[in-house]
Amino acid sequence: METLLRLRASVAISIFALLLVLPSCSAQDIQVVNAERRIDLTSHIIKVFLTLKVENTGASPASEILLAFPPTQVDHLAVVKAQVAIGKRKKKTYIPQDVNPKELPDAPNGTKYFSISLLNPLAAGEAVTLEVLYMLTHSLEPFPVEISQSESQLVYYRDSALILSPYHIKQQITFIKTPTSKVESFTVVDPAHRAGTELKYGPYNGHPPYSYSPVIVHFENNSPFAVVEELVREVEISHWGSLQITEQYKLAHAGARHKGVFSRVEYQSRAGNSGVSSFRHLLARLPPRVHSVYYRDEIGNISSSRLRLGAQKSELEIEPRYPLFGGWKATFIIGYGLPLEDFLFESPDGRRYLNFSYGCPLVETVVDKLTIKVVLPEGSKGPSAVVPFPVNQYLEKKYSYLDVVGRTVVVLEKKNVVPEHNTPFQVYYHFNPIFMLAEPLMLTSAFFLLFVTWVAYLHIDLSLRK
Ligand SMILES: *[C@@H]1O[C@H](CO)[C@@H](O)[C@H](O)[C@H]1NC(C)=O
Ligand SMILES: *[C@@H]1O[C@H](CO)[C@@H](O)[C@H](O)[C@H]1NC(C)=O
Ligand SMILES: *[C@@H]1O[C@H](CO)[C@@H](O)[C@H](O)[C@H]1NC(C)=O
């Protein structure tokens, strides 16, 4: 009994000690000395570069810095990355830091947070420069909602002139870049200024935490609003030397809806002036050494595609049967083969692994839902995937021609995918080479059986003649 009590007491003491040791850093201990934000609105994928010089004004080291987003923005966030900049000017080096969503109780007005975990905690009284990149999709709202073939596309972008932050910001400035100098209107929060394609908000001094000042920018944006609502990429590994890729696209133009009838004559005769927000070509970046490329839709093969092979990458330019206007959709399939030795390797522990690129090969495209299916060779065991960001993973079985036990399919799903996600991922698995003999063995035994039957038949025939 006594030892139990003593044990309890010591456990309580050690928990208490642990709590004391943990760096207690409240938001008040951090302040942003200087913030610069650059919002790039030239495409339909919005890129925001945020440079924050943060200072630890507390007494203990701080190991995390919070980023705040309004709840309306957080659903459209495709990427949030952060790195610490070290050194001055040309000698700057960048160290990537971990960024993860974080829930905090009593967040004002539903603010959502991302936490940057600093690899090297920020000592009391010190400052560090953070470079943050985040991307937003589906955040430009066409207005007018419908346009005719001869009209240009105008959109709204909503944000705050002041950077939303849980920290006090001493000094800040925001630059917004528009694709053209045609800006219909923008909310003025003094000082605000526009010159050509650049809008400047600030500098603003001394704003308390959670300062917010809504602004709307109404401007022209005719970049192709190419959104793949659903993309299924199947990567089939055959140990007989090739990787077969099949990609099924459901593509949509997510810009202002097309109003009235489509005139092909006008479209072709006034090129550059008619249907400026529509798109006609799409560019797919494929790996080098790609072969047996095809491109087809429900009707059949489409020949209007051009392939340029390169040492670094290959480019496939595809042209759907009709140009895509706002609200229009197209479904199609692209297929190609790749040499296995460029993508399949053996890891030091004897497992095999596929090293392939995640994301969508179409440039400057948003994918609402991406499913990658890696079909492993028959007889593979213990698959595991390594993807540099969270994805939904599960296994499936696929049976194809000549399969006995079926093939394991590793399925990786992700929503809201942007070109930034085109990074390598790996799928590891065990494979016993004896399985490579299975198919030829089956074929030879089938032929052998046929042969035996044939011989037997001949014998019967002979015996009859006698
Ligand atoms: C929360 O929203 C209300 C109403 O929109 C606004 O008046 C208030 O300033 C906001 N509070 C913060 C902390 O942003
Ligand atoms: C489409 O093209 C591919 C590759 O060039 C070819 O294998 C296939 O037979 C073609 N299909 C039709 C229906 O023409
Ligand atoms: C995967 O391929 C990329 C280049 O495409 C390479 O940089 C990376 O090191 C490879 N990863 C592994 C685990 O082999």
Side-chain angles (χ1 to χ4, degrees):
M1 191 66 199
E2 199 189 338
T3 46
L4 198 72
L5 274 179
R6 224 183 264 162
L7 199 72
R8 263 197 209 159
S10 65
V11 165
I13 287 168
S14 43
I15 286 176
F16 185 67
L18 204 71
L19 283 177
L20 278 183
V21 169
L22 279 179
S24 61
C25 82
S26 78
Q28 272 63 47
D29 291 344
I30 299 284
Q31 77 163 352
V32 179
V33 186
N34 197 0
E36 185 191 281
R37 184 172 52 160
R38 292 186 175 270
I39 305 175
D40 183 348
L41 301 181
T42 54
S43 143
H44 69 131
I45 302 171
I46 297 160
K47 300 169 193 81
V48 184
F49 303 91
L50 189 62
T51 308
L52 300 172
K53 187 174 178 199
V54 292
E55 188 184 303
N56 183 359
T57 55
S60 49
S63 56
E64 100 172 331
I65 304 291
L66 293 174
L67 298 170
F69 293 93
T72 46
Q73 238 177 28
V74 94
D75 297 334
H76 300 299
L77 264 181
V79 170
V80 188
K81 282 183 162 181
Q83 50 190 10
V84 165
I86 293 175
K88 290 241 156 66
R89 298 190 187 277
K90 280 188 178 162
K91 284 184 184 158
K92 255 189 193 163
T93 50
Y94 297 95
I95 305 165
Q97 312 284 315
D98 255 0
V99 186
N100 288 299
K102 179 158 183 165
E103 294 283 334
L104 281 187
D106 52 73
N109 288 5
T111 304
K112 299 284 181 196
Y113 300 90
F114 277 78
S115 150
I116 305 176
S117 315
L118 296 178
L119 285 173
N120 296 314
L122 189 57
E126 287 205 348
V128 69
T129 303
L130 290 169
E131 305 260 350
V132 178
L133 163 68
Y134 63 88
M135 294 190 187
L136 298 163
T137 60
H138 296 284
S139 297
L140 296 178
E141 179 193 331
F143 191 84
V145 180
E146 287 189 334
I147 54 172
S148 66
Q149 194 171 340
S150 58
E151 283 176 288
S152 185
Q153 175 172 272
L154 297 172
V155 295
Y156 280 139
Y157 175 67
R158 290 164 217 273
D159 208 320
S160 165
L162 298 168
I163 299 166
L164 186 67
S165 173
Y167 311 122
H168 180 96
I169 304 182
K170 267 185 158 171
Q171 196 183 55
Q172 62 177 301
I173 192 163
T174 293
F175 298 95
I176 298 182
K177 190 167 178 235
T178 53
T180 65
S181 57
K182 196 172 163 199
V183 176
E184 296 285 294
S185 65
F186 64 97
T187 315
V188 175
V189 178
D190 272 328
H193 177 75
R194 182 173 82 87
T197 59
E198 190 176 80
L199 258 164
K200 186 164 101 181
Y201 280 102
Y204 304 114
N205 295 320
H207 277 279
Y210 299 105
S211 295
Y212 199 79
S213 173
V215 293
I216 300 182
V217 186
H218 193 201
F219 62 102
E220 180 186 59
N221 187 334
N222 285 315
S223 75
F225 278 38
V227 173
V228 180
E229 294 176 337
E230 198 174 347
L231 168 58
V232 181
R233 299 180 77 195
E234 191 180 273
V235 181
E236 186 162 343
I237 303 170
S238 156
H239 281 169
W240 294 99
S242 97
L243 205 61
Q244 184 56 45
I245 325 288
T246 315
E247 301 176 338
Q248 299 182 41
Y249 290 86
K250 274 194 192 131
L251 180 76
H253 185 309
R257 280 200 305 277
H258 179 66
K259 182 171 72 176
V261 288
F262 164 59
S263 156
R264 197 177 272 274
V265 176
E266 189 193 313
Y267 188 80
Q268 275 160 352
S269 62
R270 296 179 56 210
N273 222 336
S274 171
V276 279
S277 71
S278 70
F279 53 88
R280 195 170 187 171
H281 305 281
L282 290 164
L283 192 66
R285 295 235 160 88
L286 305 178
R289 304 222 281 156
V290 60
H291 61 83
S292 334
V293 179
Y294 65 87
Y295 163 46
R296 66 179 154 87
D297 62 6
E298 315 81 19
I299 307 173
N301 274 354
I302 308 177
S303 51
S304 59
S305 63
R306 276 187 303 172
L307 180 67
R308 281 184 296 270
L309 290 170
Q312 299 301 319
K313 58 172 190 287
S314 307
E315 286 187 333
L316 177 69
E317 192 182 72
I318 58 175
E319 187 177 332
R321 286 180 201 271
Y322 45 85
L324 276 162
F325 281 87
W328 292 16
K329 298 182 190 220
T331 57
F332 54 88
I333 294 176
I334 301 176
Y336 47 94
L338 290 167
L340 195 63
E341 67 265 29
D342 291 0
F343 302 94
L344 195 74
F345 307 94
E346 201 169 321
S347 71
D349 63 6
R351 286 186 299 170
R352 316 236 166 162
Y353 72 95
L354 172 80
N355 185 16
F356 202 63
S357 175
Y358 204 87
C360 168
L362 296 183
V363 299
E364 218 43 26
T365 304
V366 172
V367 184
D368 289 343
K369 187 180 174 213
L370 171 61
T371 307
I372 294 194
K373 298 187 171 190
V374 178
V375 185
L376 300 177
E378 210 181 11
S380 305
K381 293 221 161 47
S384 73
V386 179
V387 191
F389 32 78
V391 294
N392 183 23
Q393 295 187 21
Y394 57 93
L395 296 179
E396 268 181 11
K397 269 261 182 265
K398 180 183 175 175
Y399 292 89
S400 54
Y401 187 57
L402 281 182
D403 280 356
V404 188
V405 292
R407 294 166 196 237
T408 305
V409 183
V410 180
V411 187
L412 306 167
E413 287 176 347
K414 178 161 173 55
K415 289 197 167 138
N416 208 6
V417 176
V418 291
E420 194 70 15
H421 291 117
N422 292 11
T423 53
F425 73 97
Q426 294 83 32
V427 174
Y428 291 82
Y429 59 94
H430 290 282
F431 183 75
N432 189 344
I434 201 84
F435 273 95
M436 282 188 73
L437 296 177
E439 279 174 16
L441 222 61
M442 261 176 57
L443 279 179
T444 33
S445 32
F447 278 121
F448 183 70
L449 264 173
L450 215 72
F451 176 73
V452 170
T453 336
W454 175 241
V455 169
Y457 171 77
L458 281 183
H459 275 272
I460 292 164
D461 205 35
L462 281 176
S463 59
L464 276 181
R465 261 194 231 153
K466 273 183 199 163

